[in-house]
Amino acid sequence: MTIETISEQRCFGGVQGFYRHESRETGGTMRFGVYRPPLAKGEQAPVLYYLAGLTCTEETFVIKAGAQRLAAELGLILVTPDTSPRDTGIDGATGDWEFGEAAGFYLDATTPAFAKRFRMYSYVTKELPGVLGEHFVEADLDREGIFGHSMGGHGALTIALKNPDRYRSVSAFAPIVAPSQVPWGQKALARYLGDDAASWRAYDTVALLEDGHTFPGTILADQGYADKFLEVQLQHWRLDAAARTAGQALTLRAHAGYDHSYYFIQTFMEDHLLHHAQALLG
Amino acid sequence: MTIETISEQRCFGGVQGFYRHESRETGGTMRFGVYRPPLAKGEQAPVLYYLAGLTCTEETFVIKAGAQRLAAELGLILVTPDTSPRDTGIDGATGDWEFGEAAGFYLDATTPAFAKRFRMYSYVTKELPGVLGEHFVEADLDREGIFGHSMGGHGALTIALKNPDRYRSVSAFAPIVAPSQVPWGQKALARYLGDDAASWRAYDTVALLEDGHTFPGTILADQGYADKFLEVQLQHWRLDAAARTAGQALTLRAHAGYDHSYYFIQTFMEDHLLHHAQALLG
């Protein structure tokens, strides 16, 4: 499988790159970013995936999160996939920021309209790591962590809970924790998976915890109280309750004054990178 | 004079805001950003102005430079004006990324077409500080520093050299150091100031140094060797030579592999903020 380099730029002694490739899982061109910290020749570093939220792309985190400085210092590779397949031409996949393109919800769709292209779960967990293994010799794929924001926080948490032996660390900023229970999730899950809500549970953090899935490490999650999506879409208290019931180790932090933006994310980025570094480099 | 708040968002314990106001100097609406670090009640902090480059706005630095973290820690107020007046309706002021709107070159134009609106020198040195003094009680306008990138590096250096008693510190990323000698500058200075190149010297760092202007502190400047504008537009060696001849204290650093982007800027942001903090907080 070949990849094409869109750009590579020096940053904090390492390299921030953007790449594209033809994706088997999503049936089209996918773009992703990779930040490689400065490394000695032949040295490898762990891989930390960041999944972005609704409306975002592979560039959002790279430009706005301010993560490269500490990734360079700690020696972490940061990988940022796009949030969905693009240019799908599928009816209903564009024109709504809550659904379709840029809103892939990190699942494998099963409804006829979306099943062929919207396979972000398999893309993130299987195809993209394969691409990294083939093209980035610095990537130590025996040490992977995952985190994300909002829809991407949902992605990171569900992926980690379903693959507890695969990822060593997980965290989230303002995640959608119970998509089955909130408007964003109900719209997306019904269209991607069909009306049988039982099938939604595999892509719902709270439901996964209820159904016996746990993660061996501590989950770190941050939530701002000034986040305009808190009450209707995010509802971190559902994660709090489900983790307590399931016995899942969770560090859940609420912060007065912070909203849903990357000003919030960058403020707590250092805590998240250190959380992952402890598991990935310890 | 009233200002309107566009947005205010919590960031690293402080507040990143964007504002707009009707500008006397530029004859239209101007926007600017202010980052206020966390401060005790009644406490003031020094003001560090950042002037952005061609095509940029008051948002560019705020989103891409990663400066708020250390500004919060050090206690610096960061002020980011836009790069020119907007919606001027002046013939020739749009459609060319090197000239006109988003390319104000931080000067006061004298040609008939541009003299009324393109007054970024007076806006940055007089009107904007006045607005800050009126609306931001935290701003200690007895302690001001200035820095910038590319066209904004040119702005910062020329403004500091012409006001050596006013600003306590100055630095630049990849500045245009001799606009009179390079295509970007020649185009802009001729259109803003007319064909008499003698009038350009007041807005040319190298010419100001040649004409006896110096800055009492050390000028810090960084330049990437992989910057595609280096050879034709930036030519840092002219600053090197002029500072040596003038006896101007200069720390000029060239960096292999770095380009003209904010990946370069963010990499060396900490050094610049510490440079200013030493003068502003020492």
Side-chain angles (χ1 to χ4, degrees):
Chain A
M1 191 184 303
T2 63
I3 67 171
E4 187 189 339
T5 300
I6 299 168
S7 63
E8 290 190 333
Q9 295 175 269
R10 187 71 60 93
C11 185
F12 287 102
V15 176
Q16 177 63 58
F18 289 102
Y19 310 90
R20 70 180 141 226
H21 70 110
E22 290 311 306
S23 161
R24 188 185 60 240
E25 292 290 351
T26 70
T29 303
M30 291 295 294
R31 294 170 312 205
F32 62 94
V34 176
Y35 178 71
R36 280 171 286 175
L39 294 167
K41 208 179 166 82
E43 193 186 353
Q44 284 195 315
V47 174
L48 178 56
Y49 301 89
Y50 178 87
L51 307 182
L54 293 168
T55 77
C56 293
T57 74
E58 74 286 358
E59 290 190 311
T60 314
F61 171 89
V62 171
I63 293 171
K64 296 184 168 181
Q68 291 96 342
R69 178 187 61 87
L70 198 57
E73 206 174 300
L74 295 168
L76 295 173
I77 293 173
L78 302 173
V79 176
T80 53
D82 198 356
T83 49
S84 79
R86 300 280 175 174
D87 304 314
T88 60
I90 300 171
D91 210 32
T94 54
D96 180 351
W97 68 277
E98 298 178 339
F99 179 78
E101 296 186 19
F105 275 82
Y106 305 102
L107 51 72
D108 286 348
T110 55
T111 51
F114 298 101
K116 272 215 179 121
R117 301 291 307 273
F118 283 79
R119 295 182 53 77
M120 288 301 290
Y121 177 80
S122 288
Y123 178 75
V124 167
T125 60
K126 287 181 280 196
E127 185 172 13
L128 181 56
V131 170
L132 298 173
E134 195 176 333
H135 295 281
F136 296 85
V137 293
E138 307 91 338
D140 180 357
L141 293 162
D142 290 331
R143 290 181 289 163
E144 294 174 293
I146 192 162
F147 68 152
H149 171 231
S150 197
M151 176 185 75
H154 146 77
L157 293 172
T158 53
I159 285 172
L161 285 171
K162 295 206 277 190
N163 299 275
D165 302 329
R166 161 81 181 281
Y167 299 93
R168 296 197 189 184
S169 55
V170 61
S171 73
F173 300 93
I176 304 170
V177 300
S180 310
Q181 312 294 327
V182 303
W184 275 345
Q186 288 164 343
K187 179 198 278 190
L189 297 176
R191 295 186 191 179
Y192 287 132
L193 302 173
D195 288 332
D196 178 9
S199 69
W200 302 359
R201 299 184 69 82
Y203 297 110
D204 182 306
T205 297
V206 164
L208 285 165
L209 288 166
E210 287 171 355
D211 292 347
H213 294 266
T214 53
F215 188 77
T218 298
I219 295 172
L220 170 63
D222 280 306
Q223 175 63 54
Y225 277 139
D227 186 328
K228 67 179 174 183
F229 302 115
L230 175 57
E231 294 291 331
V232 173
Q233 308 284 9
L234 304 174
Q235 306 186 350
H236 62 277
W237 53 86
R238 291 183 185 268
L239 175 61
D240 180 36
R244 268 185 284 134
T245 304
Q248 171 65 53
L250 169 70
T251 300
L252 177 61
R253 311 186 304 182
H255 305 279
Y258 287 93
D259 67 11
H260 201 63
S261 72
Y262 277 78
Y263 296 116
F264 157 64
I265 293 172
Q266 66 183 272
T267 299
F268 300 102
M269 183 54 61
E270 181 161 333
D271 295 345
H272 284 246
L273 293 183
L274 291 172
H275 169 80
H276 290 278
Q278 193 170 33
L280 296 169
L281 300 165
Chain B
M1 191 182 306
T2 62
I3 67 171
E4 187 189 340
T5 300
I6 299 169
S7 63
E8 290 190 333
Q9 295 175 268
R10 187 71 59 93
C11 186
F12 287 102
V15 176
Q16 177 63 57
F18 288 102
Y19 311 90
R20 69 180 143 228
H21 69 111
E22 290 310 307
S23 162
R24 187 184 61 241
E25 292 291 351
T26 70
T29 305
M30 292 295 294
R31 293 170 313 206
F32 62 94
V34 176
Y35 177 71
R36 281 172 285 173
L39 294 168
K41 208 179 166 81
E43 193 186 353
Q44 284 196 315
V47 174
L48 179 56
Y49 300 90
Y50 178 88
L51 306 183
L54 293 168
T55 78
C56 292
T57 74
E58 74 286 357
E59 290 191 311
T60 314
F61 171 90
V62 171
I63 293 171
K64 295 185 168 181
Q68 292 96 341
R69 178 187 62 87
L70 198 57
E73 206 173 300
L74 294 168
L76 296 173
I77 292 173
L78 302 172
V79 176
T80 53
D82 199 356
T83 49
S84 80
R86 300 279 175 175
D87 305 315
T88 60
I90 300 170
D91 210 33
T94 54
D96 180 352
W97 68 276
E98 298 178 339
F99 179 77
E101 296 187 18
F105 275 83
Y106 304 102
L107 51 73
D108 286 348
T110 55
T111 51
F114 298 101
K116 271 213 180 121
R117 302 291 309 271
F118 283 79
R119 295 183 53 78
M120 288 301 290
Y121 177 79
S122 289
Y123 178 74
V124 167
T125 61
K126 287 180 280 194
E127 186 172 13
L128 182 56
V131 170
L132 297 173
E134 195 175 334
H135 294 282
F136 295 85
V137 293
E138 307 90 339
D140 180 357
L141 293 163
D142 289 331
R143 290 181 289 162
E144 294 173 292
I146 192 162
F147 68 151
H149 171 231
S150 197
M151 175 185 76
H154 146 76
L157 293 173
T158 53
I159 285 172
L161 284 171
K162 294 207 277 190
N163 300 276
D165 301 329
R166 161 81 180 280
Y167 300 93
R168 295 197 189 183
S169 54
V170 61
S171 72
F173 300 94
I176 304 171
V177 300
S180 310
Q181 312 294 327
V182 302
W184 275 344
Q186 288 165 343
K187 179 199 280 191
L189 297 177
R191 295 187 192 178
Y192 287 130
L193 301 174
D195 288 333
D196 178 9
S199 69
W200 302 359
R201 298 184 70 81
Y203 297 110
D204 182 305
T205 297
V206 164
L208 285 166
L209 287 166
E210 287 170 357
D211 292 347
H213 294 267
T214 54
F215 188 76
T218 298
I219 295 171
L220 170 64
D222 281 305
Q223 175 63 54
Y225 277 139
D227 185 328
K228 68 179 173 182
F229 302 114
L230 175 57
E231 294 290 332
V232 173
Q233 308 284 8
L234 304 174
Q235 306 186 352
H236 62 276
W237 53 86
R238 290 183 186 269
L239 175 61
D240 180 36
R244 268 185 285 134
T245 303
Q248 170 64 53
L250 169 70
T251 300
L252 177 61
R253 311 185 306 181
H255 304 279
Y258 287 92
D259 67 11
H260 201 62
S261 71
Y262 277 78
Y263 296 116
F264 157 63
I265 292 172
Q266 65 183 273
T267 299
F268 299 102
M269 183 53 61
E270 181 161 332
D271 295 344
H272 284 247
L273 293 182
L274 291 172
H275 169 80
H276 290 278
Q278 194 169 31
L280 296 169
L281 300 165

